[in-house]
Amino acid sequence: MGVKVIEVTPAQIEELREKFNSKYATTPPAAPFHPVDIDRIRNDHVWLQRFLEMYDLDMEASMNKLWETCTWRESYGANDLDESKLNQEYLKEGSVFIHSSDVDGKPLLVFRVRLHSKSKSLDELIRIVIYWVERTQREKHMTQLTIFFDMAGTGLATLDLDFVKRIVETFKMYYPNALNYILVFELAWVLNAAFKVIKALLPPKAVEILKMISKKDIGQYISKDNCLASWGGSDNYEFSFVAETKQVVASKPVASSDDDQLGLGGDKKVHFAKIAPMVLKESNIGDMHTPTEGMLQLEQKEFVNFNQKNAEATVNFKCISQKPVTYKIQTTSPEKFRVRPRCGIISPNEKAEISIWLKSEYKLSEDSKDKFLVMAMIVPGTCGGADVAELWRNKCTGGPEIEQHRLVCRFENSASKCAGKASTATLDCAKGGKPDLQDQVKALSRRVKVGNFVQYLTLLLVLLLYAAVGFLFFEHYYPVGPGSCGKQSGAFCPNKRK
């Protein structure tokens, strides 16, 4: 569901991006913003879109809040927050954790309020909340969350209004439009007054997604399979902390205003030099990707399918190796696309999703020149997430230990049109979803012929109609037969003059 927002256009996102870049270049902050946040602004659209949605397309308000948020994130260290910097007792007791998802597929940020104690440090608890939010948004690319307050067994002794206020303020100030629902489960009647106070703190948009639920109606927001047994569901999950599998992030400040190479240490354009230019046909489509999959199993075998409306695409793959695998994404047209994440490490049986956006000022090539290369290799030794960029920078991508998957860019409508059809000509189903010009001319010619035929047929029918009306008129006033004058007046009918 999420809050109701005004639709944001790519032009408005670009305007906010340009405002930020201009201010960052002319009046930079005292401490440079974190490279990850710079990357989100310059090479992504989701974060900027969230600010514009939250502040109803008010460009100045969105810009000011974006700047304030970046300042806070840098001073707080939000991007660098990991489990080693948290209170281990609070982290592992399971009073706050991420598990399962709601009916919209949004992860649940669960608060088991009965495990809380007012004697705990609020600062340490908020750090854990921020850690889970940041970790989830790294793993699932800026996904929205649903807050689930599990109030079962909670009394006045464990309900800490100050803690709840801090949670509300944190999301309100620094995570715009990041919530899908706020669910309050099994709230005891004695706590109703306390939650009215909390409700008053929420912005109007957040009040829309606040829902008081019980076991009777929880199914409206979380499916039974995703509900814990204590919520009346079939999920017997017991919390046990699992450390994060790190993705690669940028590791140095960025000064450039349009650097698309963040996080890769200068990722370069790939030319697919070993592949001769070709027109995609069924006879050679198999040459465009690795025929055997030993490390990664891609859902998309030949194409990257872009959505016609928002020019977005995803590449999904799974690690089928018995060892951790590192991957890297390259493209023939780095100036056209934004890609997140560009590289990383995934463990056996783990899945990864790569998000790709076609920049608004560019179009897909019509001759299949826009391609992506997904490369993979076994993680050597004790290489960690922070070492992946350096590992790929020094690696020869044509080596025998590198698995490669080549994908051609196209729009989704071409996928539906070409599915299951054999290609007998040089018509390329990957041409950005646009039909061949010759086919367009033929189709237009057929429509003109049909239109002409309909016009001629209509004219013929009109003439026949006029003839029929004329015949009936004549028969009525000038009937054929002796002694019959029909409705003629006496001046014209000899029989009536008698």
Side-chain angles (χ1 to χ4, degrees):
M1 177 184 171
V3 299
K4 295 179 181 179
V5 296
I6 304 173
E7 185 175 355
V8 181
T9 66
Q12 290 165 331
I13 293 173
E14 193 60 36
E15 181 182 350
L16 181 56
R17 180 180 288 120
E18 289 175 0
K19 279 182 174 291
F20 177 88
N21 286 336
S22 176
K23 183 174 181 178
Y24 198 77
T26 56
T27 56
F33 294 155
H34 197 282
V36 169
D37 295 334
I38 298 293
D39 186 27
R40 283 180 178 178
I41 294 168
R42 292 177 177 167
N43 298 308
D44 200 347
H45 75 284
V46 178
W47 207 29
L48 299 179
Q49 179 178 322
R50 295 266 174 86
F51 279 96
L52 289 167
E53 290 172 342
M54 194 66 188
Y55 299 102
D56 297 323
L57 306 186
D58 185 326
M59 197 62 63
E60 290 303 319
S62 299
M63 175 61 201
N64 291 336
K65 289 297 182 181
L66 174 61
W67 193 268
E68 290 174 10
T69 300
C70 288
T71 303
W72 170 80
R73 291 176 63 82
E74 175 60 30
S75 62
Y76 195 85
N79 289 294
D80 301 319
L81 200 58
D82 60 31
E83 53 268 23
S84 66
K85 300 176 182 178
L86 305 176
N87 183 304
Q88 297 298 303
E89 179 186 351
Y90 296 176
L91 178 65
K92 295 179 180 180
E93 71 179 358
S95 60
V96 183
F97 60 93
I98 291 282
H99 179 68
S100 195
S101 58
D102 64 15
V103 291
D104 297 322
K106 309 301 182 183
L108 298 179
L109 176 58
V110 181
F111 291 85
R112 282 181 168 168
V113 182
R114 70 177 181 275
L115 298 181
H116 179 66
S117 169
K118 294 181 181 180
S119 62
K120 292 180 179 178
S121 167
L122 289 185
D123 290 337
E124 292 294 340
L125 287 170
I126 290 297
R127 287 179 72 82
I128 291 175
V129 173
I130 293 172
Y131 162 76
W132 282 116
V133 174
E134 293 292 326
R135 171 174 171 172
T136 306
Q137 292 195 339
R138 283 193 294 267
E139 294 173 342
K140 298 183 180 295
H141 184 61
M142 298 296 294
T143 184
Q144 288 183 311
L145 301 165
T146 285
I147 290 182
F148 188 95
F149 287 108
D150 185 351
M151 305 295 293
T154 301
L156 291 173
T158 54
L159 179 62
D160 189 344
L161 284 179
D162 290 334
F163 181 37
V164 178
K165 288 178 183 178
R166 288 282 298 274
I167 295 169
V168 170
E169 288 298 321
T170 299
F171 278 94
K172 180 179 177 180
M173 296 293 294
Y174 307 121
Y175 293 95
N177 198 19
L179 298 179
N180 193 47
Y181 285 111
I182 302 174
L183 303 179
V184 182
F185 177 71
E186 297 287 0
L187 178 68
W189 67 270
V190 295
L191 303 177
N192 282 336
F195 251 83
K196 285 182 180 179
V197 175
I198 296 169
K199 187 176 180 179
L201 297 173
L202 295 173
K205 290 181 183 292
V207 174
E208 297 175 12
I209 59 174
L210 176 64
K211 309 294 179 183
M212 303 292 183
I213 61 174
S214 64
K215 288 183 179 181
K216 294 180 180 179
D217 54 3
I218 191 173
Q220 297 179 30
Y221 306 99
I222 307 172
S223 68
K224 185 176 180 180
D225 290 342
N226 288 337
C227 283
L228 297 181
S230 59
W231 305 342
S234 55
D235 185 354
N236 294 315
Y237 171 80
E238 292 291 338
F239 173 77
S240 177
F241 179 75
V242 177
E244 178 182 8
T245 301
K246 289 282 188 174
Q247 295 280 353
V248 176
V249 296
S251 57
K252 55 184 178 181
V254 180
S256 164
S257 63
D258 193 18
D259 184 2
D260 282 328
Q261 317 308 332
L262 290 168
L264 280 178
D267 191 16
K268 297 180 180 179
K269 181 176 181 178
V270 57
H271 295 280
F272 300 133
K274 296 183 180 181
I275 305 172
M278 62 176 68
V279 176
L280 296 182
K281 296 182 289 186
E282 286 199 355
S283 60
N284 60 20
I285 192 67
D287 298 332
M288 292 300 292
H289 67 95
T290 304
T292 58
E293 298 171 324
M295 302 181 202
L296 298 181
Q297 184 179 66
L298 274 69
E299 287 186 12
Q300 299 83 1
K301 300 296 184 182
E302 290 94 20
F303 300 104
V304 178
N305 295 317
F306 283 83
N307 185 292
Q308 285 277 18
K309 294 182 179 180
N310 54 24
E312 296 182 13
T314 58
V315 174
N316 300 285
F317 51 81
K318 178 182 179 181
C319 176
I320 57 174
S321 170
Q322 299 299 314
K323 299 179 179 179
V325 169
T326 175
Y327 64 87
K328 179 181 179 181
I329 316 297
Q330 285 186 315
T331 176
T332 56
S333 308
E335 72 282 357
K336 289 187 178 183
F337 302 101
R338 295 189 177 94
V339 182
R340 286 183 61 88
R342 290 177 181 263
C343 59
I345 295 176
I346 54 175
S347 303
N349 295 318
E350 185 181 356
K351 294 182 179 180
E353 179 178 282
I354 309 300
S355 299
I356 304 172
W357 300 271
L358 176 65
K359 296 181 182 178
S360 58
E361 63 268 27
Y362 291 99
K363 297 181 179 179
L364 287 184
S365 170
E366 296 187 5
D367 51 6
S368 306
K369 288 185 179 179
D370 296 328
K371 304 182 184 75
F372 278 87
L373 176 65
V374 182
M375 298 180 291
M377 65 178 174
I378 300 297
V379 177
T382 58
C383 175
D387 306 318
V388 173
E390 187 68 25
L391 174 66
W392 281 108
R393 188 181 297 114
N394 299 324
K395 176 62 64 174
C396 174
T397 56
E401 73 278 17
I402 306 296
E403 180 177 288
Q404 298 184 350
H405 302 260
R406 296 168 176 81
L407 306 173
V408 178
C409 298
R410 68 178 182 182
F411 280 110
E412 285 181 344
N413 68 338
S414 64
S416 59
K417 289 179 181 178
C418 300
K421 295 183 179 180
S423 178
T424 58
T426 58
L427 175 63
D428 183 0
C429 285
K431 288 185 177 181
K434 298 180 180 178
D436 186 84
L437 182 59
Q438 188 176 5
D439 284 354
Q440 288 182 342
V441 172
K442 289 180 179 178
L444 183 59
S445 178
R446 286 195 296 270
R447 290 175 186 172
V448 171
K449 289 180 179 178
V450 171
N452 288 340
F453 174 79
V454 171
Q455 287 180 342
Y456 291 138
L457 183 60
T458 302
L459 180 59
L460 178 60
L461 291 174
V462 169
L463 291 175
L464 289 174
L465 180 62
Y466 272 117
V469 171
F471 176 78
L472 292 174
F473 180 86
F474 185 85
E475 279 289 299
H476 184 71
Y477 286 97
Y478 303 97
V480 179
S484 175
C485 296
K487 293 186 178 181
Q488 296 183 44
S489 64
F492 295 96
C493 182
N495 294 332
K496 292 185 177 181
R497 289 200 297 266
K498 293 180 180 181

